[in-house]
Amino acid sequence: MFDEDGSLDPFLKFLLYTVVILGVAKTLWEWLTGDVARWFSAELWNWITQYPWWTGLTVGAVLLLTLLLRRRCHVVGWVGV
């Protein structure tokens, strides 16, 4: 199980890392498919319908920021078109 220097056997170390990574991946997948999907589908839509003026201002600000950044990047030469 342990080598002479006290380190874990390479196969057991691989097995341990595999179990930890699979556990983290399973938890992340459940969080993304459960909570995050509900945030975007139900809660975000609820906020949009309850506050249309704030939604319009937010969308307008994002569009303006996108246009300004695109123009700045075009002047610098980062964007080809």
Side-chain angles (χ1 to χ4, degrees):
M1 184 191 305
F2 291 103
D3 290 338
E4 290 82 21
D5 62 352
S7 64
L8 196 58
D9 184 43
F11 176 71
L12 291 176
K13 191 182 291 186
F14 169 76
L15 196 62
L16 177 67
Y17 285 144
T18 303
V19 168
V20 169
I21 288 172
L22 285 175
V24 168
K26 181 179 182 286
T27 303
L28 185 63
W29 179 255
E30 288 178 357
W31 179 71
L32 285 174
T33 57
D35 295 338
V36 175
R38 184 177 42 84
W39 292 343
F40 284 116
S41 63
E43 294 181 15
L44 182 63
W45 184 251
N46 188 23
W47 189 85
I48 289 172
T49 56
Q50 283 184 351
Y51 305 106
W53 287 102
W54 284 111
T55 303
L57 286 173
T58 304
V59 169
V62 167
L63 286 175
L64 181 65
L65 183 65
T66 303
L67 290 173
L68 289 174
L69 285 175
R70 182 175 167 89
R71 180 172 294 178
R72 176 165 167 73
C73 291
H74 184 68
V75 168
V76 173
W78 291 347
V79 178
V81 177

